Amino acid sequence: MIDLHCHILPGLDDGASDLDDSAAMAEQAELNGVTQICATPHIRHDHDVRIAEIADRVDALNAALANLGRQTRILTGGEVAESIVEHLDDSELRAVSLGGGGRWVLLEPAPGPLSDGLGAAVRGLERRGFRSLIAHPERHLGLDLFERLGALTRAGALVQVTAATMVDHAAAVGMLQLARAGVVHVLGSDAHSAKIGRPVDIAIGLEPLWEVDFLTPHIEWIVHQAPAAIVRGDDVEPPYRPLT
Ligand SMILES: [Fe+2]
């Protein structure tokens, strides 16, 4: 499996504290069947992440993990805030694209209810040849979330759900509703550390998806085909449509 959302680069944003932590996260990944991880440091005004350094940091982490005998491979990426995405130039967008595929940008919506600004960001990326993978729908559970995610999906975006929220006490009911509405496309761990919080685990979020009848023929697409296409930079069309 491929984890499309993980803060595994050491000592950079609010993710892994140091190389030991990154290595422990890579071990979690191996134990949970995750073979590739997109490193997605925050590209946001409150984190000092230099986009030009990401590729070298990923190379260094891969070399260190190989030295430690870890099999997990780290790919480039970034979690780009809605508020900053329009200020990135095309080469910066390519540098933070998931897997370095040059096509898919992991987009973090602004806090609060989803606004028209997110749609503008998705359309702006599309005009520049990029597609949006929208993160953290669980932060925006509200009356208009379903309709807005449906519209964004029809505009070419896909939705990435934090796997642990599918089974989280507070969010699980809402997330299952999202899945039933046809606006859950891929899972990511959004793990920040092996010491605290969510583990590097995708499978944890799958069980509830098997409860959604129309999704069951598409679990393989959700878990394998779509993430692989995203990191290759391919166009991806979901095999099911939003119901909202
Ligand atoms: Fe994140």
Side-chain angles (χ1 to χ4, degrees):
M1 286 180 279
I2 300 172
D3 187 355
L4 295 167
H5 185 166
C6 187
H7 299 262
I8 195 170
L9 290 179
L12 187 56
D13 55 351
D14 55 357
S17 54
D18 52 26
L19 181 57
D20 286 348
D21 199 10
S22 300
M25 292 171 77
E27 185 176 6
Q28 281 182 340
E30 286 178 32
L31 291 171
N32 289 312
V34 174
T35 54
Q36 296 179 79
I37 296 174
C38 292
T40 55
H42 286 291
I43 311 300
R44 207 170 70 192
H45 69 279
D46 55 345
H47 288 281
D48 184 19
V49 176
R50 316 276 168 94
I51 292 173
E53 296 177 359
I54 290 175
D56 285 348
R57 288 179 182 272
V58 166
D59 286 346
L61 180 55
N62 273 320
L65 293 177
N67 269 339
L68 293 167
R70 300 259 72 96
Q71 307 293 315
T72 316
R73 181 151 174 269
I74 313 301
L75 310 175
T76 53
E79 181 179 9
V80 184
E82 173 189 329
S83 57
I84 211 168
V85 67
E86 68 176 321
H87 303 295
L88 303 187
D89 65 32
D90 286 359
S91 68
E92 289 174 319
L93 286 175
R94 278 191 293 276
V96 296
S97 66
L98 291 167
R103 186 79 163 126
W104 287 89
V105 174
L106 184 66
L107 194 56
E108 181 186 30
L114 296 187
S115 72
D116 293 343
L118 185 61
V122 168
R123 289 190 299 275
L125 283 171
E126 183 82 31
R127 279 194 297 274
R128 297 167 66 186
F130 295 90
R131 290 183 67 182
S132 302
L133 182 62
I134 296 168
H136 292 301
E138 77 280 358
R139 293 178 180 168
H140 309 278
L141 281 168
L143 288 179
D144 66 348
L145 177 65
F146 297 79
E147 194 178 321
R148 283 188 180 274
L149 289 182
L152 292 167
T153 297
R154 280 186 282 274
L158 295 180
V159 178
Q160 176 260 308
V161 161
T162 303
T165 66
M166 294 301 304
V167 294
D168 174 78
H169 178 69
V173 171
M175 301 315 289
L176 188 58
Q177 287 176 336
L178 277 188
R180 291 191 194 286
V183 287
V184 170
H185 300 107
V186 290
L187 302 176
S189 76
D190 191 30
H192 284 67
S193 171
K195 301 174 200 164
I196 191 168
R198 299 178 283 266
V200 184
D201 190 354
I202 303 298
I204 192 174
L206 285 179
E207 200 167 314
L209 297 182
W210 286 103
E211 297 174 22
V212 182
D213 287 344
F214 78 87
L215 284 184
T216 56
H218 306 303
I219 299 292
E220 167 73 15
W221 181 85
I222 291 169
V223 180
H224 295 293
Q225 292 175 21
I230 286 170
V231 300
R232 282 197 306 266
D234 290 351
D235 262 330
V236 178
E237 298 307 324
Y240 45 89
R241 307 302 301 166
L243 306 179
T244 56

PDB file of all heavy atoms in Angstrom, residues 98-135:
ATOM      1  N   LEU A  98       2.328  14.899  -5.220  1.00  0.00           N
ATOM      2  CA  LEU A  98       2.429  13.599  -4.546  1.00  0.00           C
ATOM      3  C   LEU A  98       3.249  12.620  -5.370  1.00  0.00           C
ATOM      4  O   LEU A  98       2.980  12.413  -6.565  1.00  0.00           O
ATOM      5  CB  LEU A  98       1.030  13.045  -4.277  1.00  0.00           C
ATOM      6  CG  LEU A  98       0.264  13.829  -3.213  1.00  0.00           C
ATOM      7  CD1 LEU A  98      -1.220  13.455  -3.212  1.00  0.00           C
ATOM      8  CD2 LEU A  98       0.867  13.603  -1.828  1.00  0.00           C
ATOM      9  N   GLY A  99       4.243  12.025  -4.748  1.00  0.00           N
ATOM     10  CA  GLY A  99       5.104  11.063  -5.414  1.00  0.00           C
ATOM     11  C   GLY A  99       6.037  11.690  -6.430  1.00  0.00           C
ATOM     12  O   GLY A  99       6.734  10.980  -7.148  1.00  0.00           O
ATOM     13  N   GLY A 100       6.020  13.024  -6.522  1.00  0.00           N
ATOM     14  CA  GLY A 100       6.808  13.686  -7.556  1.00  0.00           C
ATOM     15  C   GLY A 100       6.230  13.469  -8.943  1.00  0.00           C
ATOM     16  O   GLY A 100       6.904  13.704  -9.948  1.00  0.00           O
ATOM     17  N   GLY A 101       4.973  13.030  -8.976  1.00  0.00           N
ATOM     18  CA  GLY A 101       4.342  12.723 -10.258  1.00  0.00           C
ATOM     19  C   GLY A 101       4.011  13.952 -11.081  1.00  0.00           C
ATOM     20  O   GLY A 101       3.680  13.848 -12.260  1.00  0.00           O
ATOM     21  N   GLY A 102       4.046  15.115 -10.439  1.00  0.00           N
ATOM     22  CA  GLY A 102       3.846  16.346 -11.187  1.00  0.00           C
ATOM     23  C   GLY A 102       2.402  16.681 -11.489  1.00  0.00           C
ATOM     24  O   GLY A 102       2.138  17.598 -12.285  1.00  0.00           O
ATOM     25  N   ARG A 103       1.474  15.979 -10.855  1.00  0.00           N
ATOM     26  CA  ARG A 103       0.072  16.165 -11.232  1.00  0.00           C
ATOM     27  C   ARG A 103      -0.846  16.434 -10.035  1.00  0.00           C
ATOM     28  O   ARG A 103      -1.693  17.319 -10.096  1.00  0.00           O
ATOM     29  CB  ARG A 103      -0.387  14.896 -11.967  1.00  0.00           C
ATOM     30  CG  ARG A 103      -1.780  14.966 -12.550  1.00  0.00           C
ATOM     31  CD  ARG A 103      -1.782  15.736 -13.845  1.00  0.00           C
ATOM     32  NE  ARG A 103      -3.007  15.478 -14.595  1.00  0.00           N
ATOM     33  CZ  ARG A 103      -3.807  16.445 -15.028  1.00  0.00           C
ATOM     34  NH1 ARG A 103      -3.515  17.703 -14.801  1.00  0.00           N
ATOM     35  NH2 ARG A 103      -4.892  16.149 -15.726  1.00  0.00           N
ATOM     36  N   TRP A 104      -0.674  15.679  -8.946  1.00  0.00           N
ATOM     37  CA  TRP A 104      -1.633  15.720  -7.842  1.00  0.00           C
ATOM     38  C   TRP A 104      -1.050  16.474  -6.655  1.00  0.00           C
ATOM     39  O   TRP A 104       0.034  16.162  -6.169  1.00  0.00           O
ATOM     40  CB  TRP A 104      -2.011  14.298  -7.420  1.00  0.00           C
ATOM     41  CG  TRP A 104      -2.898  13.643  -8.428  1.00  0.00           C
ATOM     42  CD1 TRP A 104      -2.506  12.902  -9.513  1.00  0.00           C
ATOM     43  CD2 TRP A 104      -4.327  13.693  -8.474  1.00  0.00           C
ATOM     44  NE1 TRP A 104      -3.606  12.497 -10.215  1.00  0.00           N
ATOM     45  CE2 TRP A 104      -4.738  12.956  -9.607  1.00  0.00           C
ATOM     46  CE3 TRP A 104      -5.303  14.284  -7.660  1.00  0.00           C
ATOM     47  CZ2 TRP A 104      -6.077  12.811  -9.948  1.00  0.00           C
ATOM     48  CZ3 TRP A 104      -6.638  14.132  -7.995  1.00  0.00           C
ATOM     49  CH2 TRP A 104      -7.016  13.404  -9.124  1.00  0.00           C
ATOM     50  N   VAL A 105      -1.829  17.448  -6.164  1.00  0.00           N
ATOM     51  CA  VAL A 105      -1.431  18.267  -5.026  1.00  0.00           C
ATOM     52  C   VAL A 105      -2.359  17.964  -3.859  1.00  0.00           C
ATOM     53  O   VAL A 105      -3.585  18.045  -3.998  1.00  0.00           O
ATOM     54  CB  VAL A 105      -1.499  19.767  -5.381  1.00  0.00           C
ATOM     55  CG1 VAL A 105      -1.232  20.626  -4.148  1.00  0.00           C
ATOM     56  CG2 VAL A 105      -0.496  20.091  -6.492  1.00  0.00           C
ATOM     57  N   LEU A 106      -1.762  17.589  -2.726  1.00  0.00           N
ATOM     58  CA  LEU A 106      -2.543  17.356  -1.510  1.00  0.00           C
ATOM     59  C   LEU A 106      -2.895  18.717  -0.913  1.00  0.00           C
ATOM     60  O   LEU A 106      -2.009  19.461  -0.497  1.00  0.00           O
ATOM     61  CB  LEU A 106      -1.732  16.521  -0.513  1.00  0.00           C
ATOM     62  CG  LEU A 106      -2.449  16.117   0.778  1.00  0.00           C
ATOM     63  CD1 LEU A 106      -3.615  15.162   0.492  1.00  0.00           C
ATOM     64  CD2 LEU A 106      -1.453  15.447   1.749  1.00  0.00           C
ATOM     65  N   LEU A 107      -4.180  19.020  -0.886  1.00  0.00           N
ATOM     66  CA  LEU A 107      -4.644  20.365  -0.547  1.00  0.00           C
ATOM     67  C   LEU A 107      -5.322  20.341   0.823  1.00  0.00           C
ATOM     68  O   LEU A 107      -6.266  19.570   1.044  1.00  0.00           O
ATOM     69  CB  LEU A 107      -5.629  20.804  -1.633  1.00  0.00           C
ATOM     70  CG  LEU A 107      -6.037  22.261  -1.725  1.00  0.00           C
ATOM     71  CD1 LEU A 107      -4.840  23.188  -1.875  1.00  0.00           C
ATOM     72  CD2 LEU A 107      -6.989  22.432  -2.936  1.00  0.00           C
ATOM     73  N   GLU A 108      -4.820  21.170   1.731  1.00  0.00           N
ATOM     74  CA  GLU A 108      -5.382  21.259   3.082  1.00  0.00           C
ATOM     75  C   GLU A 108      -6.352  22.441   3.134  1.00  0.00           C
ATOM     76  O   GLU A 108      -5.928  23.599   3.038  1.00  0.00           O
ATOM     77  CB  GLU A 108      -4.267  21.479   4.114  1.00  0.00           C
ATOM     78  CG  GLU A 108      -4.802  21.559   5.535  1.00  0.00           C
ATOM     79  CD  GLU A 108      -3.717  21.934   6.546  1.00  0.00           C
ATOM     80  OE1 GLU A 108      -2.760  22.645   6.172  1.00  0.00           O
ATOM     81  OE2 GLU A 108      -3.836  21.512   7.709  1.00  0.00           O
ATOM     82  N   PRO A 109      -7.661  22.165   3.307  1.00  0.00           N
ATOM     83  CA  PRO A 109      -8.616  23.275   3.353  1.00  0.00           C
ATOM     84  C   PRO A 109      -8.342  24.204   4.527  1.00  0.00           C
ATOM     85  O   PRO A 109      -7.813  23.793   5.560  1.00  0.00           O
ATOM     86  CB  PRO A 109      -9.975  22.568   3.524  1.00  0.00           C
ATOM     87  CG  PRO A 109      -9.755  21.167   3.043  1.00  0.00           C
ATOM     88  CD  PRO A 109      -8.332  20.851   3.400  1.00  0.00           C
ATOM     89  N   ALA A 110      -8.742  25.472   4.356  1.00  0.00           N
ATOM     90  CA  ALA A 110      -8.621  26.443   5.447  1.00  0.00           C
ATOM     91  C   ALA A 110      -9.521  26.019   6.605  1.00  0.00           C
ATOM     92  O   ALA A 110     -10.536  25.350   6.400  1.00  0.00           O
ATOM     93  CB  ALA A 110      -9.022  27.817   4.931  1.00  0.00           C
ATOM     94  N   PRO A 111      -9.161  26.398   7.838  1.00  0.00           N
ATOM     95  CA  PRO A 111      -9.992  26.040   8.988  1.00  0.00           C
ATOM     96  C   PRO A 111     -11.412  26.577   8.838  1.00  0.00           C
ATOM     97  O   PRO A 111     -11.639  27.573   8.167  1.00  0.00           O
ATOM     98  CB  PRO A 111      -9.270  26.724  10.165  1.00  0.00           C
ATOM     99  CG  PRO A 111      -7.869  26.953   9.689  1.00  0.00           C
ATOM    100  CD  PRO A 111      -7.964  27.166   8.213  1.00  0.00           C
ATOM    101  N   GLY A 112     -12.352  25.890   9.511  1.00  0.00           N
ATOM    102  CA  GLY A 112     -13.748  26.314   9.455  1.00  0.00           C
ATOM    103  C   GLY A 112     -14.493  25.598   8.358  1.00  0.00           C
ATOM    104  O   GLY A 112     -13.944  24.708   7.705  1.00  0.00           O
ATOM    105  N   PRO A 113     -15.753  25.970   8.141  1.00  0.00           N
ATOM    106  CA  PRO A 113     -16.525  25.319   7.072  1.00  0.00           C
ATOM    107  C   PRO A 113     -15.847  25.509   5.720  1.00  0.00           C
ATOM    108  O   PRO A 113     -15.203  26.540   5.491  1.00  0.00           O
ATOM    109  CB  PRO A 113     -17.872  26.065   7.118  1.00  0.00           C
ATOM    110  CG  PRO A 113     -17.930  26.702   8.452  1.00  0.00           C
ATOM    111  CD  PRO A 113     -16.520  26.980   8.860  1.00  0.00           C
ATOM    112  N   LEU A 114     -15.981  24.516   4.844  1.00  0.00           N
ATOM    113  CA  LEU A 114     -15.403  24.675   3.503  1.00  0.00           C
ATOM    114  C   LEU A 114     -16.033  25.900   2.844  1.00  0.00           C
ATOM    115  O   LEU A 114     -17.227  26.131   2.959  1.00  0.00           O
ATOM    116  CB  LEU A 114     -15.675  23.428   2.654  1.00  0.00           C
ATOM    117  CG  LEU A 114     -15.042  22.119   3.125  1.00  0.00           C
ATOM    118  CD1 LEU A 114     -15.274  21.025   2.093  1.00  0.00           C
ATOM    119  CD2 LEU A 114     -13.557  22.279   3.407  1.00  0.00           C
ATOM    120  N   SER A 115     -15.199  26.653   2.145  1.00  0.00           N
ATOM    121  CA  SER A 115     -15.708  27.893   1.539  1.00  0.00           C
ATOM    122  C   SER A 115     -15.496  27.847   0.035  1.00  0.00           C
ATOM    123  O   SER A 115     -14.882  26.928  -0.510  1.00  0.00           O
ATOM    124  CB  SER A 115     -14.970  29.094   2.123  1.00  0.00           C
ATOM    125  OG  SER A 115     -13.646  29.119   1.609  1.00  0.00           O
ATOM    126  N   ASP A 116     -15.985  28.888  -0.625  1.00  0.00           N
ATOM    127  CA  ASP A 116     -15.784  28.983  -2.075  1.00  0.00           C
ATOM    128  C   ASP A 116     -14.299  29.080  -2.416  1.00  0.00           C
ATOM    129  O   ASP A 116     -13.904  28.800  -3.546  1.00  0.00           O
ATOM    130  CB  ASP A 116     -16.516  30.204  -2.626  1.00  0.00           C
ATOM    131  CG  ASP A 116     -18.036  30.056  -2.514  1.00  0.00           C
ATOM    132  OD1 ASP A 116     -18.502  28.912  -2.323  1.00  0.00           O
ATOM    133  OD2 ASP A 116     -18.737  31.077  -2.608  1.00  0.00           O
ATOM    134  N   GLY A 117     -13.485  29.486  -1.439  1.00  0.00           N
ATOM    135  CA  GLY A 117     -12.050  29.595  -1.690  1.00  0.00           C
ATOM    136  C   GLY A 117     -11.425  28.265  -2.054  1.00  0.00           C
ATOM    137  O   GLY A 117     -10.475  28.215  -2.849  1.00  0.00           O
ATOM    138  N   LEU A 118     -11.945  27.182  -1.495  1.00  0.00           N
ATOM    139  CA  LEU A 118     -11.394  25.865  -1.819  1.00  0.00           C
ATOM    140  C   LEU A 118     -11.696  25.517  -3.273  1.00  0.00           C
ATOM    141  O   LEU A 118     -10.834  24.999  -3.994  1.00  0.00           O
ATOM    142  CB  LEU A 118     -11.948  24.805  -0.860  1.00  0.00           C
ATOM    143  CG  LEU A 118     -11.364  23.409  -1.024  1.00  0.00           C
ATOM    144  CD1 LEU A 118      -9.860  23.400  -0.767  1.00  0.00           C
ATOM    145  CD2 LEU A 118     -12.062  22.420  -0.086  1.00  0.00           C
ATOM    146  N   GLY A 119     -12.928  25.807  -3.699  1.00  0.00           N
ATOM    147  CA  GLY A 119     -13.279  25.574  -5.103  1.00  0.00           C
ATOM    148  C   GLY A 119     -12.398  26.400  -6.028  1.00  0.00           C
ATOM    149  O   GLY A 119     -11.957  25.917  -7.078  1.00  0.00           O
ATOM    150  N   ALA A 120     -12.138  27.632  -5.637  1.00  0.00           N
ATOM    151  CA  ALA A 120     -11.270  28.487  -6.458  1.00  0.00           C
ATOM    152  C   ALA A 120      -9.864  27.905  -6.534  1.00  0.00           C
ATOM    153  O   ALA A 120      -9.217  27.936  -7.592  1.00  0.00           O
ATOM    154  CB  ALA A 120     -11.237  29.893  -5.873  1.00  0.00           C
ATOM    155  N   ALA A 121      -9.385  27.354  -5.406  1.00  0.00           N
ATOM    156  CA  ALA A 121      -8.046  26.740  -5.402  1.00  0.00           C
ATOM    157  C   ALA A 121      -8.009  25.517  -6.313  1.00  0.00           C
ATOM    158  O   ALA A 121      -7.045  25.325  -7.074  1.00  0.00           O
ATOM    159  CB  ALA A 121      -7.662  26.357  -3.972  1.00  0.00           C
ATOM    160  N   VAL A 122      -9.052  24.700  -6.252  1.00  0.00           N
ATOM    161  CA  VAL A 122      -9.116  23.501  -7.109  1.00  0.00           C
ATOM    162  C   VAL A 122      -9.138  23.905  -8.583  1.00  0.00           C
ATOM    163  O   VAL A 122      -8.400  23.347  -9.412  1.00  0.00           O
ATOM    164  CB  VAL A 122     -10.363  22.654  -6.752  1.00  0.00           C
ATOM    165  CG1 VAL A 122     -10.626  21.579  -7.807  1.00  0.00           C
ATOM    166  CG2 VAL A 122     -10.196  22.028  -5.370  1.00  0.00           C
ATOM    167  N   ARG A 123      -9.954  24.902  -8.905  1.00  0.00           N
ATOM    168  CA  ARG A 123     -10.037  25.330 -10.306  1.00  0.00           C
ATOM    169  C   ARG A 123      -8.735  26.003 -10.750  1.00  0.00           C
ATOM    170  O   ARG A 123      -8.288  25.830 -11.893  1.00  0.00           O
ATOM    171  CB  ARG A 123     -11.233  26.273 -10.508  1.00  0.00           C
ATOM    172  CG  ARG A 123     -12.578  25.565 -10.408  1.00  0.00           C
ATOM    173  CD  ARG A 123     -13.720  26.486 -10.856  1.00  0.00           C
ATOM    174  NE  ARG A 123     -13.810  27.680 -10.023  1.00  0.00           N
ATOM    175  CZ  ARG A 123     -14.474  27.750  -8.858  1.00  0.00           C
ATOM    176  NH1 ARG A 123     -15.103  26.688  -8.398  1.00  0.00           N
ATOM    177  NH2 ARG A 123     -14.504  28.862  -8.172  1.00  0.00           N
ATOM    178  N   GLY A 124      -8.099  26.730  -9.833  1.00  0.00           N
ATOM    179  CA  GLY A 124      -6.827  27.369 -10.164  1.00  0.00           C
ATOM    180  C   GLY A 124      -5.756  26.336 -10.462  1.00  0.00           C
ATOM    181  O   GLY A 124      -4.979  26.482 -11.417  1.00  0.00           O
ATOM    182  N   LEU A 125      -5.715  25.287  -9.667  1.00  0.00           N
ATOM    183  CA  LEU A 125      -4.742  24.216  -9.921  1.00  0.00           C
ATOM    184  C   LEU A 125      -5.031  23.538 -11.251  1.00  0.00           C
ATOM    185  O   LEU A 125      -4.121  23.229 -12.021  1.00  0.00           O
ATOM    186  CB  LEU A 125      -4.778  23.195  -8.778  1.00  0.00           C
ATOM    187  CG  LEU A 125      -4.068  23.621  -7.486  1.00  0.00           C
ATOM    188  CD1 LEU A 125      -4.362  22.631  -6.357  1.00  0.00           C
ATOM    189  CD2 LEU A 125      -2.563  23.716  -7.698  1.00  0.00           C
ATOM    190  N   GLU A 126      -6.317  23.280 -11.509  1.00  0.00           N
ATOM    191  CA  GLU A 126      -6.704  22.612 -12.757  1.00  0.00           C
ATOM    192  C   GLU A 126      -6.243  23.427 -13.968  1.00  0.00           C
ATOM    193  O   GLU A 126      -5.713  22.871 -14.940  1.00  0.00           O
ATOM    194  CB  GLU A 126      -8.233  22.424 -12.772  1.00  0.00           C
ATOM    195  CG  GLU A 126      -8.765  21.683 -13.981  1.00  0.00           C
ATOM    196  CD  GLU A 126      -8.653  20.173 -13.836  1.00  0.00           C
ATOM    197  OE1 GLU A 126      -8.728  19.681 -12.700  1.00  0.00           O
ATOM    198  OE2 GLU A 126      -8.484  19.502 -14.872  1.00  0.00           O
ATOM    199  N   ARG A 127      -6.416  24.738 -13.915  1.00  0.00           N
ATOM    200  CA  ARG A 127      -5.992  25.602 -15.026  1.00  0.00           C
ATOM    201  C   ARG A 127      -4.490  25.508 -15.256  1.00  0.00           C
ATOM    202  O   ARG A 127      -4.002  25.715 -16.367  1.00  0.00           O
ATOM    203  CB  ARG A 127      -6.371  27.060 -14.744  1.00  0.00           C
ATOM    204  CG  ARG A 127      -7.819  27.403 -15.058  1.00  0.00           C
ATOM    205  CD  ARG A 127      -8.021  28.922 -15.093  1.00  0.00           C
ATOM    206  NE  ARG A 127      -7.767  29.546 -13.812  1.00  0.00           N
ATOM    207  CZ  ARG A 127      -8.663  29.671 -12.838  1.00  0.00           C
ATOM    208  NH1 ARG A 127      -9.878  29.197 -13.002  1.00  0.00           N
ATOM    209  NH2 ARG A 127      -8.353  30.249 -11.695  1.00  0.00           N
ATOM    210  N   ARG A 128      -3.738  25.204 -14.209  1.00  0.00           N
ATOM    211  CA  ARG A 128      -2.278  25.131 -14.318  1.00  0.00           C
ATOM    212  C   ARG A 128      -1.791  23.701 -14.560  1.00  0.00           C
ATOM    213  O   ARG A 128      -0.596  23.425 -14.493  1.00  0.00           O
ATOM    214  CB  ARG A 128      -1.653  25.701 -13.047  1.00  0.00           C
ATOM    215  CG  ARG A 128      -2.005  27.178 -12.865  1.00  0.00           C
ATOM    216  CD  ARG A 128      -1.672  27.672 -11.482  1.00  0.00           C
ATOM    217  NE  ARG A 128      -0.234  27.670 -11.246  1.00  0.00           N
ATOM    218  CZ  ARG A 128       0.333  27.957 -10.073  1.00  0.00           C
ATOM    219  NH1 ARG A 128      -0.446  28.251  -9.032  1.00  0.00           N
ATOM    220  NH2 ARG A 128       1.629  27.936  -9.937  1.00  0.00           N
ATOM    221  N   GLY A 129      -2.731  22.785 -14.777  1.00  0.00           N
ATOM    222  CA  GLY A 129      -2.350  21.417 -15.123  1.00  0.00           C
ATOM    223  C   GLY A 129      -2.199  20.482 -13.946  1.00  0.00           C
ATOM    224  O   GLY A 129      -1.628  19.395 -14.081  1.00  0.00           O
ATOM    225  N   PHE A 130      -2.712  20.907 -12.791  1.00  0.00           N
ATOM    226  CA  PHE A 130      -2.617  20.063 -11.595  1.00  0.00           C
ATOM    227  C   PHE A 130      -4.020  19.658 -11.131  1.00  0.00           C
ATOM    228  O   PHE A 130      -4.997  20.345 -11.415  1.00  0.00           O
ATOM    229  CB  PHE A 130      -1.920  20.825 -10.458  1.00  0.00           C
ATOM    230  CG  PHE A 130      -0.494  21.163 -10.758  1.00  0.00           C
ATOM    231  CD1 PHE A 130      -0.167  22.355 -11.381  1.00  0.00           C
ATOM    232  CD2 PHE A 130       0.525  20.272 -10.452  1.00  0.00           C
ATOM    233  CE1 PHE A 130       1.154  22.671 -11.675  1.00  0.00           C
ATOM    234  CE2 PHE A 130       1.844  20.582 -10.745  1.00  0.00           C
ATOM    235  CZ  PHE A 130       2.164  21.783 -11.359  1.00  0.00           C
ATOM    236  N   ARG A 131      -4.072  18.556 -10.409  1.00  0.00           N
ATOM    237  CA  ARG A 131      -5.347  18.135  -9.812  1.00  0.00           C
ATOM    238  C   ARG A 131      -5.194  18.073  -8.298  1.00  0.00           C
ATOM    239  O   ARG A 131      -4.106  17.888  -7.780  1.00  0.00           O
ATOM    240  CB  ARG A 131      -5.813  16.807 -10.407  1.00  0.00           C
ATOM    241  CG  ARG A 131      -6.257  16.997 -11.857  1.00  0.00           C
ATOM    242  CD  ARG A 131      -6.793  15.727 -12.466  1.00  0.00           C
ATOM    243  NE  ARG A 131      -8.042  15.302 -11.839  1.00  0.00           N
ATOM    244  CZ  ARG A 131      -8.677  14.188 -12.185  1.00  0.00           C
ATOM    245  NH1 ARG A 131      -8.176  13.404 -13.123  1.00  0.00           N
ATOM    246  NH2 ARG A 131      -9.802  13.851 -11.587  1.00  0.00           N
ATOM    247  N   SER A 132      -6.323  18.224  -7.641  1.00  0.00           N
ATOM    248  CA  SER A 132      -6.331  18.384  -6.186  1.00  0.00           C
ATOM    249  C   SER A 132      -6.788  17.108  -5.498  1.00  0.00           C
ATOM    250  O   SER A 132      -7.785  16.496  -5.890  1.00  0.00           O
ATOM    251  CB  SER A 132      -7.302  19.507  -5.785  1.00  0.00           C
ATOM    252  OG  SER A 132      -6.950  20.709  -6.411  1.00  0.00           O
ATOM    253  N   LEU A 133      -6.051  16.751  -4.457  1.00  0.00           N
ATOM    254  CA  LEU A 133      -6.492  15.713  -3.542  1.00  0.00           C
ATOM    255  C   LEU A 133      -6.791  16.416  -2.215  1.00  0.00           C
ATOM    256  O   LEU A 133      -5.877  16.941  -1.563  1.00  0.00           O
ATOM    257  CB  LEU A 133      -5.405  14.652  -3.364  1.00  0.00           C
ATOM    258  CG  LEU A 133      -5.771  13.479  -2.447  1.00  0.00           C
ATOM    259  CD1 LEU A 133      -6.968  12.694  -3.005  1.00  0.00           C
ATOM    260  CD2 LEU A 133      -4.578  12.527  -2.276  1.00  0.00           C
ATOM    261  N   ILE A 134      -8.047  16.460  -1.843  1.00  0.00           N
ATOM    262  CA  ILE A 134      -8.461  17.257  -0.692  1.00  0.00           C
ATOM    263  C   ILE A 134      -8.309  16.434   0.589  1.00  0.00           C
ATOM    264  O   ILE A 134      -8.853  15.329   0.702  1.00  0.00           O
ATOM    265  CB  ILE A 134      -9.910  17.733  -0.877  1.00  0.00           C
ATOM    266  CG1 ILE A 134      -9.966  18.663  -2.098  1.00  0.00           C
ATOM    267  CG2 ILE A 134     -10.427  18.448   0.376  1.00  0.00           C
ATOM    268  CD1 ILE A 134     -11.345  18.982  -2.559  1.00  0.00           C
ATOM    269  N   ALA A 135      -7.574  17.010   1.543  1.00  0.00           N
ATOM    270  CA  ALA A 135      -7.292  16.324   2.810  1.00  0.00           C
ATOM    271  C   ALA A 135      -8.271  16.774   3.889  1.00  0.00           C
ATOM    272  O   ALA A 135      -8.944  17.796   3.763  1.00  0.00           O
ATOM    273  CB  ALA A 135      -5.861  16.633   3.250  1.00  0.00           C
TER     274      ALA A 135
END
